Amino acid sequence: MITSPFWRGKRFAVLGLARSGAATVRALVASGAEVVAWDSNGATREALSSPSPSKRGEVGGDGQSPAASFGTAPLPTLSPQAGRGLLSFADPESIDLAGFDALVVSPGVPLNRHPVAARARAAGVPIIGDIELFSQARAWLPGHKVVGVTGTNGKSTTVSLIHHILQTAGIASRLGGNIGLPILEQEPLPEGGVYVLELSSYQIDLTQTLDCDVAVLLNITPDHLDRYEGFNDYAVSKARLFEMQSAQGYAVVDDGAEADFGVLDNAEDPIIEFIADVDVTGQESWPALQGPHNLLNAKAAVAVACHFGVSDKAIEQGLRSFPGLPHRMELVATNHGVAFVNDSKATNPESTAPALAAFDRVHWILGGQSKSDDLDACAPSFGHVVRAYTIGAAGPKFADILKVHVPVEQSGTLANAVTSAAAQAKAGETVLLSPACASFDQFRDFEDRGDQFRHAVEALA
């Protein structure tokens, strides 16, 4: 766990106690902070509270007095180096936030419309996230480097590939941010390690001081526009990753994003590497990195690895051995010469387009909760589509768009689409789940959708 004496004796309100929120609470309390936490789920709150009701109201290990008015429950000491802070529960919308050092919120809290954001601003309380807390703790960590990767599409693959190449080269690294274990939950790296962070625009919005040794912007396409005034404001959010860098920070940037949005305009004299200019060859020997989008992801990862002095041999070994990620161009089975590929993570047309381009003859399963009224980004690869199978809420709309270009059927459900596509696909063709939509109309999340695809394919046998 990452702790910091910087937080000792400070007061924090924490809203949202899922994985990153719970890790935040534990790290702050272990550091000797006073934390008032809240989640609408009572079971989630209970999971963080003291296992012994009799301990409620006792003094924390650092001698702080309990905040009895909130029903304080001290957590056990979580770090031998840190005094014990105090944890209590109250909805930050119902308490006076004046005097708090920060309101820490989940990236899922919409700052543009949630009433707690207005309350915090009125009280002059900074609104931050766990990545900002990590930034504050860096001065007390062993010497290290930080890589921050943002972009609309490709972030998870790119950070995972960077992490894999570094580990292949024998460099200690941790993967965190918008992927895997929350960064505050992880053990600090030894001297010389590299923290590799996937950063969404929401996380960047909650971060003020993260000075990345290497900042990467993969691309910018329309997404999450319900949280921003418009596309340009979304781009401005991404650009802040470079604004937080010190002078001569290393910036790996999509040249299109720089040309269209000037994402480096407010950066402090960075060393710039454009992704398209990175020289790599041999993609045919990287099994988990096929398609034009993965070539760009690989170029970004190679630029980072080269910056840290990784040898060409270790880079090539890392590219060849990278296992890929679940739900991202994942080959789940090959039946009778037909490949079944799970690309459930493709939740917008821009992220689906590269998957369509990667295969010559595709039976395309798409649909769900749409983020776009068109499929224009996918249009250049309609010639690869043998047949389309639409599902979910966007199914009828997308069927209307596609019917003038390709054969299409409205399957309704994923199970129906898999069954129909499997019956019609021939050897050498690909059944591709790349929905171009969010999953929440029919599934818990994109992982659940991908898992259901895998189960449906397994049932064919």
Side-chain angles (χ1 to χ4, degrees):
M1 176 183 297
I2 291 176
T3 59
S4 173
F6 181 74
W7 303 323
R8 179 183 292 272
K10 294 189 175 182
R11 299 182 72 206
F12 296 88
V14 179
L15 177 61
L17 302 178
R19 289 191 305 171
S20 65
T24 294
V25 169
R26 287 190 285 266
L28 290 172
V29 173
S31 300
E34 180 183 336
V35 178
V36 179
W38 188 252
D39 193 288
S40 58
N41 186 325
T44 303
R45 299 196 304 270
E46 184 63 27
L48 278 176
S49 64
S50 170
S52 171
S54 64
K55 291 184 179 292
R56 287 186 177 274
E58 69 180 40
V59 176
D62 60 355
Q64 289 178 288
S65 300
S69 61
F70 297 131
T72 301
L75 281 175
T77 299
L78 298 178
S79 167
Q81 290 81 30
R84 184 172 61 195
L86 296 171
L87 172 64
S88 58
F89 295 96
D91 187 342
E93 289 190 63
S94 68
I95 61 174
D96 183 2
L97 292 176
F100 280 82
D101 291 281
L103 169 65
V104 188
V105 301
S106 159
V109 174
L111 298 182
N112 59 333
R113 59 181 185 273
H114 198 290
V116 75
R119 286 178 54 84
R121 293 184 184 111
V125 175
I127 305 171
I128 64 174
D130 66 324
I131 302 301
E132 174 61 22
L133 290 172
F134 167 74
S135 178
Q136 294 174 4
R138 290 184 64 187
W140 287 270
L141 296 175
H144 62 276
K145 303 293 185 182
V146 171
V147 178
V149 178
T150 193
T152 308
N153 301 307
K155 296 187 296 296
S156 295
T157 295
T158 302
V159 295
S160 298
L161 180 57
I162 293 169
H163 176 61
H164 179 74
I165 292 174
L166 292 175
Q167 301 235 311
T168 299
I171 299 173
S173 60
R174 294 270 190 270
L175 188 61
N178 200 39
I179 188 172
L181 193 66
I183 192 62
L184 296 180
E185 196 85 76
Q186 303 192 44
E187 289 302 311
L189 284 165
E191 187 85 17
V194 180
Y195 295 91
V196 185
L197 305 179
E198 176 185 334
L199 301 173
S200 69
S201 58
Y202 299 166
Q203 288 170 308
I204 295 172
D205 290 341
L206 297 169
T207 306
Q208 283 81 48
T209 66
L210 182 67
D211 182 0
C212 293
D213 298 276
V214 182
V216 181
L217 174 63
L218 298 170
N219 46 61
I220 301 178
T221 59
D223 202 6
H224 303 308
L225 298 187
D226 59 322
R227 291 276 289 265
Y228 299 96
E229 291 298 319
F231 188 19
N232 189 68
D233 284 351
Y234 171 63
V236 167
S237 174
K238 298 289 191 187
R240 287 194 57 253
L241 187 62
F242 302 103
E243 294 173 29
M244 290 186 283
Q245 281 188 291
S246 299
Q248 297 298 289
Y250 188 53
V252 180
V253 188
D254 171 53
D255 56 347
E258 168 58 13
D260 292 343
F261 299 103
V263 294
L264 298 175
D265 286 355
N266 295 319
E268 193 174 338
D269 192 25
I271 299 169
I272 303 168
E273 178 85 48
F274 287 116
I275 295 172
D277 295 337
V278 179
D279 184 19
V280 296
T281 58
Q283 187 182 16
E284 66 279 358
S285 64
W286 313 334
L289 293 166
Q290 295 303 294
H293 62 311
N294 275 325
L295 179 59
L296 293 174
N297 294 339
K299 285 186 172 192
V302 168
V304 175
C306 288
H307 181 71
F308 289 131
V310 177
S311 69
D312 291 345
K313 181 179 179 181
I315 290 173
E316 180 59 28
Q317 183 181 350
L319 292 168
R320 287 174 179 268
S321 61
F322 180 59
L325 297 178
H327 314 296
R328 296 162 179 86
M329 296 282 283
E330 176 192 14
L331 177 64
V332 299
T334 301
N335 293 336
H336 306 292
V338 176
F340 291 81
V341 175
N342 168 21
D343 193 39
S344 182
K345 182 62 170 65
T347 58
N348 57 52
E350 288 76 15
S351 55
T352 287
L356 288 179
F359 305 103
D360 291 332
R361 293 184 59 79
V362 179
H363 292 259
W364 179 22
I365 301 174
L366 75 156
Q369 188 178 75
S370 65
K371 298 180 178 181
S372 171
D373 290 330
D374 61 62
L375 293 169
D376 291 353
C378 301
S381 294
F382 283 169
H384 293 199
V385 178
V386 178
R387 192 173 189 85
Y389 310 78
T390 65
I391 65 173
K397 174 175 64 179
F398 284 173
D400 284 343
I401 292 172
L402 290 171
K403 66 185 180 182
V404 298
H405 303 285
V406 301
V408 61
E409 63 181 62
Q410 296 188 49
S411 301
T413 68
L414 180 57
N416 289 343
V418 170
T419 300
S420 181
Q424 298 182 71
K426 300 176 181 178
E429 297 179 341
T430 300
V431 175
L432 172 67
L433 170 66
S434 193
C437 287
S439 57
F440 304 116
D441 57 333
Q442 293 181 316
F443 305 94
R444 184 179 64 252
D445 49 34
F446 76 84
E447 289 101 335
D448 180 40
R449 178 170 60 191
D451 289 341
Q452 294 302 319
F453 175 75
R454 183 183 295 106
H455 296 329
V457 172
E458 290 171 349
L460 296 172

